[in-house]
Amino acid sequence: MPKKVRPTGDEKEEESVPCKQMKEDLPDIFSVLNFDSPSTFFESLISPIKVETFFKEFWEQKPLLIQRDDPSLAACYRSLFSLSDLKKLCSQGLYYGRDVNVCRCISGKKKVLNKDGRAQYLQLRKDFDQKRATIQFHQPQRFKVFILQLEGKKHWRLYSPTVPLAQEYSVEPEERIGTPTHDFLLKPGDLLYFPRGTIHQADTPSGLAHSIHLTISTYQNNSWGDCLLDSISGLVFDIAKEDVAFRTGMPRRMLMNVETPDDVTRKLSGFLRTLADQLEGRKELLSSDMKKDFIMHRLPPFYVGNGTDTMDPGEKLPMLDNMIRLQFKDHIVLTVGPDQNQSDEAQQKMVYIYHSLKNVRQTHMMGQEAGAEIYGLRFPLSHVDALKQIWCGSPIRVKDLKLNTDEEKQNLALSLWTESLIQVL
C-alpha cells in the first residue's frame, strides 16, 4: 500500500482545471490577464511579445521593455496595490523584519529604518511621507496574488555588472558600478524584464510624489550548478551499487590532512570521469532536493490555500472501469529516490509524488519556522510505469494501468484521488 510522505524540510503543460468560483471572484479589470493556466497567464503578461520570441531573444540574454498604452491594463496594474491597502494590511498584523522593511538610500548606501515589533500604519505613513522612505513587503503574495513592492521609485537604470551587489535591495554609488547601459521610464501598464544578475537602480522622476512597482522574481535555484549539486548524489548512489571501486575505503587518515594529496585528487578525478561516462544515455536522474524545494515553496492553485478553501476530490470514487485524468500537473512533481525510511546499506528505490495543493498562502516562502511542509505520497518502484501513464495527461481507464493486480490499480487511483491529484471522468 502507498504511504503518505512525512513532512520534511519536457512535457506539455497541462491546462489547470477550471474553477467557476475563481473566475467569479476576479474583478472585471483582470479580464486583460488570462488566469486559466500558468502558460496562458504568462502569454497575457508579456503580450504583445510572443512567448517564442521572448525565450529566443531575451530570456537570460538582454533586457526587454514592453510599453503598452492600454487603459484597461493600466487600470489592472493600478488596482494591485494602493496606499489605502497599506492600512488594511497593518490591521492584519505586519511585523518589522518579518513582513515589512522600511529603508532609504543615503549617500549611495541602504539604511534600514525598521522599528521593533508590530508595524503601525501611522508610523509607516510618517516614514513614507516625511522621510521619503521605501516600504518593502516580504512575500506579499501572502496577502495578494502578486509579489509587490511599494516604493518611492519609478525610474530604472541598468548598469554593466562590473561589481556584484552585496545584498538584495542594496544600491552602490554610480562611480563604482560603471556607466548605465539602459535607461527606462516606466508608465502604468509597462513591463520591464532583465536577466538574472543585472545590477539595477530605481529612481523617482522629479514631480512624482511616489510610485508603486510590482516585482516578479523567477527561476531562482535553477542553474546547472544547482542541478549538478542535486543529482550527483543520486548518480553516485546508483553507480556505487554496481562499481566496487566506489565502495573501497579512502586512504587512512586522509581526513586529517590539511591539504589534499595529489594521488587522492587523481583518484577523485577518475571517479568523476566514470560518473560522466555513466551519465550519458540515462533517462532518469535521482533528484534529492530540487524538486522537493520547488514544490514546498510553490503557491497552491490560485483559488485554494487561503486558509479556508480545501481541495475536494469529488464524490465519485475511482473504480476499475472509470476513466481518470491527472489534474493540477503544474503543482505536482514525480521523482524516484532511495527509500527515506530505510537506514541500512541495501536501500531500495521508491517513487515519490510531491504537490503544493495543501500549501498555505499566508506562510508562503516564510521558511520552516512558519510551518512549511512537503505534502505527497510514495509508492514502490513497481508503480512507476503506471504513474507515467497517468502523467502523460491523457484520460486512462483504471484497469488499464500497468500493475499486476486489480487491487494495486484501484489502490493507486484511490490514493491519488484522495489527494485531489486526479479527476474521475
PDB file of all heavy atoms in Angstrom, residues 221-236 272 275-276 279 285-290:
ATOM      1  N   ASN A 221      17.442  29.323  -7.978  1.00  0.00           N
ATOM      2  CA  ASN A 221      17.950  27.986  -7.664  1.00  0.00           C
ATOM      3  C   ASN A 221      17.651  26.991  -8.784  1.00  0.00           C
ATOM      4  O   ASN A 221      17.317  25.830  -8.523  1.00  0.00           O
ATOM      5  CB  ASN A 221      17.355  27.479  -6.338  1.00  0.00           C
ATOM      6  CG  ASN A 221      17.628  28.397  -5.182  1.00  0.00           C
ATOM      7  OD1 ASN A 221      18.699  28.987  -5.090  1.00  0.00           O
ATOM      8  ND2 ASN A 221      16.655  28.558  -4.297  1.00  0.00           N
ATOM      9  N   ASN A 222      17.754  27.468 -10.030  1.00  0.00           N
ATOM     10  CA  ASN A 222      17.510  26.592 -11.181  1.00  0.00           C
ATOM     11  C   ASN A 222      18.670  26.649 -12.167  1.00  0.00           C
ATOM     12  O   ASN A 222      18.462  26.557 -13.375  1.00  0.00           O
ATOM     13  CB  ASN A 222      16.207  26.990 -11.891  1.00  0.00           C
ATOM     14  CG  ASN A 222      14.993  26.298 -11.311  1.00  0.00           C
ATOM     15  OD1 ASN A 222      14.602  25.225 -11.735  1.00  0.00           O
ATOM     16  ND2 ASN A 222      14.413  26.913 -10.296  1.00  0.00           N
ATOM     17  N   SER A 223      19.892  26.792 -11.675  1.00  0.00           N
ATOM     18  CA  SER A 223      21.064  26.835 -12.542  1.00  0.00           C
ATOM     19  C   SER A 223      21.605  25.424 -12.767  1.00  0.00           C
ATOM     20  O   SER A 223      21.219  24.465 -12.082  1.00  0.00           O
ATOM     21  CB  SER A 223      22.153  27.709 -11.914  1.00  0.00           C
ATOM     22  OG  SER A 223      22.688  27.073 -10.763  1.00  0.00           O
ATOM     23  N   TRP A 224      22.537  25.292 -13.742  1.00  0.00           N
ATOM     24  CA  TRP A 224      23.177  23.996 -13.969  1.00  0.00           C
ATOM     25  C   TRP A 224      23.948  23.556 -12.729  1.00  0.00           C
ATOM     26  O   TRP A 224      24.029  22.362 -12.427  1.00  0.00           O
ATOM     27  CB  TRP A 224      24.103  24.073 -15.181  1.00  0.00           C
ATOM     28  CG  TRP A 224      23.376  24.048 -16.486  1.00  0.00           C
ATOM     29  CD1 TRP A 224      23.299  25.047 -17.418  1.00  0.00           C
ATOM     30  CD2 TRP A 224      22.611  22.953 -17.017  1.00  0.00           C
ATOM     31  NE1 TRP A 224      22.525  24.648 -18.481  1.00  0.00           N
ATOM     32  CE2 TRP A 224      22.098  23.371 -18.276  1.00  0.00           C
ATOM     33  CE3 TRP A 224      22.305  21.670 -16.564  1.00  0.00           C
ATOM     34  CZ2 TRP A 224      21.310  22.546 -19.058  1.00  0.00           C
ATOM     35  CZ3 TRP A 224      21.510  20.848 -17.352  1.00  0.00           C
ATOM     36  CH2 TRP A 224      21.024  21.297 -18.581  1.00  0.00           C
ATOM     37  N   GLY A 225      24.524  24.524 -12.019  1.00  0.00           N
ATOM     38  CA  GLY A 225      25.223  24.175 -10.790  1.00  0.00           C
ATOM     39  C   GLY A 225      24.290  23.579  -9.762  1.00  0.00           C
ATOM     40  O   GLY A 225      24.628  22.589  -9.094  1.00  0.00           O
ATOM     41  N   ASP A 226      23.086  24.163  -9.632  1.00  0.00           N
ATOM     42  CA  ASP A 226      22.091  23.606  -8.711  1.00  0.00           C
ATOM     43  C   ASP A 226      21.704  22.194  -9.119  1.00  0.00           C
ATOM     44  O   ASP A 226      21.539  21.311  -8.273  1.00  0.00           O
ATOM     45  CB  ASP A 226      20.849  24.497  -8.675  1.00  0.00           C
ATOM     46  CG  ASP A 226      21.131  25.883  -8.100  1.00  0.00           C
ATOM     47  OD1 ASP A 226      21.772  25.957  -7.042  1.00  0.00           O
ATOM     48  OD2 ASP A 226      20.711  26.870  -8.719  1.00  0.00           O
ATOM     49  N   CYS A 227      21.572  21.986 -10.429  1.00  0.00           N
ATOM     50  CA  CYS A 227      21.191  20.661 -10.930  1.00  0.00           C
ATOM     51  C   CYS A 227      22.262  19.627 -10.622  1.00  0.00           C
ATOM     52  O   CYS A 227      21.957  18.499 -10.212  1.00  0.00           O
ATOM     53  CB  CYS A 227      20.926  20.741 -12.438  1.00  0.00           C
ATOM     54  SG  CYS A 227      20.385  19.185 -13.177  1.00  0.00           S
ATOM     55  N   LEU A 228      23.533  19.992 -10.804  1.00  0.00           N
ATOM     56  CA  LEU A 228      24.621  19.061 -10.502  1.00  0.00           C
ATOM     57  C   LEU A 228      24.653  18.725  -9.020  1.00  0.00           C
ATOM     58  O   LEU A 228      24.799  17.552  -8.630  1.00  0.00           O
ATOM     59  CB  LEU A 228      25.954  19.665 -10.938  1.00  0.00           C
ATOM     60  CG  LEU A 228      26.265  19.618 -12.437  1.00  0.00           C
ATOM     61  CD1 LEU A 228      27.517  20.431 -12.747  1.00  0.00           C
ATOM     62  CD2 LEU A 228      26.450  18.164 -12.896  1.00  0.00           C
ATOM     63  N   LEU A 229      24.529  19.744  -8.176  1.00  0.00           N
ATOM     64  CA  LEU A 229      24.539  19.505  -6.738  1.00  0.00           C
ATOM     65  C   LEU A 229      23.393  18.586  -6.321  1.00  0.00           C
ATOM     66  O   LEU A 229      23.523  17.777  -5.404  1.00  0.00           O
ATOM     67  CB  LEU A 229      24.442  20.832  -5.983  1.00  0.00           C
ATOM     68  CG  LEU A 229      25.688  21.726  -6.019  1.00  0.00           C
ATOM     69  CD1 LEU A 229      25.370  23.083  -5.399  1.00  0.00           C
ATOM     70  CD2 LEU A 229      26.839  21.066  -5.273  1.00  0.00           C
ATOM     71  N   ASP A 230      22.271  18.716  -7.019  1.00  0.00           N
ATOM     72  CA  ASP A 230      21.084  17.935  -6.659  1.00  0.00           C
ATOM     73  C   ASP A 230      21.175  16.495  -7.139  1.00  0.00           C
ATOM     74  O   ASP A 230      20.773  15.577  -6.432  1.00  0.00           O
ATOM     75  CB  ASP A 230      19.846  18.607  -7.244  1.00  0.00           C
ATOM     76  CG  ASP A 230      18.569  17.866  -6.882  1.00  0.00           C
ATOM     77  OD1 ASP A 230      18.224  17.852  -5.686  1.00  0.00           O
ATOM     78  OD2 ASP A 230      17.932  17.304  -7.782  1.00  0.00           O
ATOM     79  N   SER A 231      21.694  16.293  -8.340  1.00  0.00           N
ATOM     80  CA  SER A 231      21.630  14.966  -8.960  1.00  0.00           C
ATOM     81  C   SER A 231      22.879  14.119  -8.751  1.00  0.00           C
ATOM     82  O   SER A 231      22.821  12.895  -8.917  1.00  0.00           O
ATOM     83  CB  SER A 231      21.377  15.108 -10.467  1.00  0.00           C
ATOM     84  OG  SER A 231      22.389  15.889 -11.086  1.00  0.00           O
ATOM     85  N   ILE A 232      24.003  14.748  -8.391  1.00  0.00           N
ATOM     86  CA  ILE A 232      25.246  13.979  -8.309  1.00  0.00           C
ATOM     87  C   ILE A 232      25.185  12.917  -7.235  1.00  0.00           C
ATOM     88  O   ILE A 232      25.702  11.799  -7.398  1.00  0.00           O
ATOM     89  CB  ILE A 232      26.452  14.930  -8.083  1.00  0.00           C
ATOM     90  CG1 ILE A 232      27.753  14.213  -8.439  1.00  0.00           C
ATOM     91  CG2 ILE A 232      26.471  15.450  -6.674  1.00  0.00           C
ATOM     92  CD1 ILE A 232      27.958  13.997  -9.897  1.00  0.00           C
ATOM     93  N   SER A 233      24.520  13.208  -6.107  1.00  0.00           N
ATOM     94  CA  SER A 233      24.449  12.212  -5.031  1.00  0.00           C
ATOM     95  C   SER A 233      23.636  11.001  -5.467  1.00  0.00           C
ATOM     96  O   SER A 233      23.984   9.854  -5.142  1.00  0.00           O
ATOM     97  CB  SER A 233      23.841  12.835  -3.765  1.00  0.00           C
ATOM     98  OG  SER A 233      22.533  13.319  -4.023  1.00  0.00           O
ATOM     99  N   GLY A 234      22.557  11.223  -6.209  1.00  0.00           N
ATOM    100  CA  GLY A 234      21.760  10.114  -6.708  1.00  0.00           C
ATOM    101  C   GLY A 234      22.519   9.278  -7.726  1.00  0.00           C
ATOM    102  O   GLY A 234      22.397   8.044  -7.762  1.00  0.00           O
ATOM    103  N   LEU A 235      23.318   9.947  -8.569  1.00  0.00           N
ATOM    104  CA  LEU A 235      24.121   9.231  -9.562  1.00  0.00           C
ATOM    105  C   LEU A 235      25.164   8.362  -8.878  1.00  0.00           C
ATOM    106  O   LEU A 235      25.385   7.202  -9.254  1.00  0.00           O
ATOM    107  CB  LEU A 235      24.781  10.242 -10.500  1.00  0.00           C
ATOM    108  CG  LEU A 235      25.567   9.676 -11.684  1.00  0.00           C
ATOM    109  CD1 LEU A 235      24.653   8.864 -12.593  1.00  0.00           C
ATOM    110  CD2 LEU A 235      26.238  10.801 -12.468  1.00  0.00           C
ATOM    111  N   VAL A 236      25.811   8.892  -7.856  1.00  0.00           N
ATOM    112  CA  VAL A 236      26.791   8.110  -7.095  1.00  0.00           C
ATOM    113  C   VAL A 236      26.104   6.941  -6.403  1.00  0.00           C
ATOM    114  O   VAL A 236      26.634   5.818  -6.371  1.00  0.00           O
ATOM    115  CB  VAL A 236      27.505   9.013  -6.057  1.00  0.00           C
ATOM    116  CG1 VAL A 236      28.395   8.172  -5.153  1.00  0.00           C
ATOM    117  CG2 VAL A 236      28.331  10.084  -6.762  1.00  0.00           C
ATOM    118  N   LEU A 272      35.104  10.990 -11.112  1.00  0.00           N
ATOM    119  CA  LEU A 272      34.255  11.959 -11.803  1.00  0.00           C
ATOM    120  C   LEU A 272      34.137  11.626 -13.279  1.00  0.00           C
ATOM    121  O   LEU A 272      33.068  11.782 -13.886  1.00  0.00           O
ATOM    122  CB  LEU A 272      34.806  13.377 -11.610  1.00  0.00           C
ATOM    123  CG  LEU A 272      34.665  13.965 -10.201  1.00  0.00           C
ATOM    124  CD1 LEU A 272      35.349  15.325 -10.111  1.00  0.00           C
ATOM    125  CD2 LEU A 272      33.190  14.120  -9.819  1.00  0.00           C
ATOM    126  N   LEU A 275      31.689   8.879 -13.575  1.00  0.00           N
ATOM    127  CA  LEU A 275      30.329   9.387 -13.458  1.00  0.00           C
ATOM    128  C   LEU A 275      29.862  10.033 -14.746  1.00  0.00           C
ATOM    129  O   LEU A 275      28.714   9.836 -15.174  1.00  0.00           O
ATOM    130  CB  LEU A 275      30.261  10.405 -12.308  1.00  0.00           C
ATOM    131  CG  LEU A 275      30.429   9.874 -10.881  1.00  0.00           C
ATOM    132  CD1 LEU A 275      30.437  11.037  -9.892  1.00  0.00           C
ATOM    133  CD2 LEU A 275      29.311   8.901 -10.532  1.00  0.00           C
ATOM    134  N   ALA A 276      30.749  10.814 -15.376  1.00  0.00           N
ATOM    135  CA  ALA A 276      30.388  11.483 -16.631  1.00  0.00           C
ATOM    136  C   ALA A 276      30.072  10.465 -17.719  1.00  0.00           C
ATOM    137  O   ALA A 276      29.110  10.621 -18.479  1.00  0.00           O
ATOM    138  CB  ALA A 276      31.520  12.409 -17.069  1.00  0.00           C
ATOM    139  N   LEU A 279      26.771   8.848 -17.045  1.00  0.00           N
ATOM    140  CA  LEU A 279      25.638   9.765 -17.169  1.00  0.00           C
ATOM    141  C   LEU A 279      25.046   9.755 -18.572  1.00  0.00           C
ATOM    142  O   LEU A 279      23.847   9.943 -18.762  1.00  0.00           O
ATOM    143  CB  LEU A 279      26.086  11.183 -16.795  1.00  0.00           C
ATOM    144  CG  LEU A 279      25.021  12.284 -16.800  1.00  0.00           C
ATOM    145  CD1 LEU A 279      23.912  11.964 -15.807  1.00  0.00           C
ATOM    146  CD2 LEU A 279      25.650  13.633 -16.460  1.00  0.00           C
ATOM    147  N   LEU A 285      17.439  10.790 -13.586  1.00  0.00           N
ATOM    148  CA  LEU A 285      18.415  11.097 -12.553  1.00  0.00           C
ATOM    149  C   LEU A 285      17.678  11.193 -11.223  1.00  0.00           C
ATOM    150  O   LEU A 285      16.593  11.765 -11.153  1.00  0.00           O
ATOM    151  CB  LEU A 285      19.128  12.420 -12.844  1.00  0.00           C
ATOM    152  CG  LEU A 285      20.146  12.425 -13.979  1.00  0.00           C
ATOM    153  CD1 LEU A 285      20.673  13.844 -14.186  1.00  0.00           C
ATOM    154  CD2 LEU A 285      21.305  11.488 -13.675  1.00  0.00           C
ATOM    155  N   LEU A 286      18.270  10.618 -10.194  1.00  0.00           N
ATOM    156  CA  LEU A 286      17.657  10.715  -8.878  1.00  0.00           C
ATOM    157  C   LEU A 286      17.796  12.146  -8.380  1.00  0.00           C
ATOM    158  O   LEU A 286      18.894  12.684  -8.306  1.00  0.00           O
ATOM    159  CB  LEU A 286      18.330   9.753  -7.901  1.00  0.00           C
ATOM    160  CG  LEU A 286      18.251   8.263  -8.234  1.00  0.00           C
ATOM    161  CD1 LEU A 286      18.846   7.441  -7.107  1.00  0.00           C
ATOM    162  CD2 LEU A 286      16.817   7.829  -8.479  1.00  0.00           C
ATOM    163  N   SER A 287      16.669  12.769  -8.080  1.00  0.00           N
ATOM    164  CA  SER A 287      16.670  14.132  -7.568  1.00  0.00           C
ATOM    165  C   SER A 287      16.562  14.092  -6.058  1.00  0.00           C
ATOM    166  O   SER A 287      15.702  13.407  -5.512  1.00  0.00           O
ATOM    167  CB  SER A 287      15.498  14.925  -8.159  1.00  0.00           C
ATOM    168  OG  SER A 287      15.409  16.200  -7.576  1.00  0.00           O
ATOM    169  N   SER A 288      17.450  14.816  -5.385  1.00  0.00           N
ATOM    170  CA  SER A 288      17.417  14.762  -3.928  1.00  0.00           C
ATOM    171  C   SER A 288      16.610  15.893  -3.319  1.00  0.00           C
ATOM    172  O   SER A 288      15.774  15.672  -2.459  1.00  0.00           O
ATOM    173  CB  SER A 288      18.846  14.779  -3.370  1.00  0.00           C
ATOM    174  OG  SER A 288      19.541  15.924  -3.812  1.00  0.00           O
ATOM    175  N   ASP A 289      16.846  17.104  -3.768  1.00  0.00           N
ATOM    176  CA  ASP A 289      16.224  18.236  -3.084  1.00  0.00           C
ATOM    177  C   ASP A 289      15.519  19.238  -3.991  1.00  0.00           C
ATOM    178  O   ASP A 289      14.596  19.918  -3.545  1.00  0.00           O
ATOM    179  CB  ASP A 289      17.279  18.988  -2.261  1.00  0.00           C
ATOM    180  CG  ASP A 289      17.803  18.153  -1.104  1.00  0.00           C
ATOM    181  OD1 ASP A 289      16.968  17.528  -0.422  1.00  0.00           O
ATOM    182  OD2 ASP A 289      19.025  18.109  -0.904  1.00  0.00           O
ATOM    183  N   MET A 290      15.956  19.392  -5.236  1.00  0.00           N
ATOM    184  CA  MET A 290      15.437  20.477  -6.074  1.00  0.00           C
ATOM    185  C   MET A 290      13.927  20.382  -6.265  1.00  0.00           C
ATOM    186  O   MET A 290      13.212  21.375  -6.162  1.00  0.00           O
ATOM    187  CB  MET A 290      16.137  20.501  -7.428  1.00  0.00           C
ATOM    188  CG  MET A 290      17.537  21.099  -7.391  1.00  0.00           C
ATOM    189  SD  MET A 290      18.248  21.297  -9.047  1.00  0.00           S
ATOM    190  CE  MET A 290      17.302  22.699  -9.654  1.00  0.00           C
TER     191      MET A 290
END
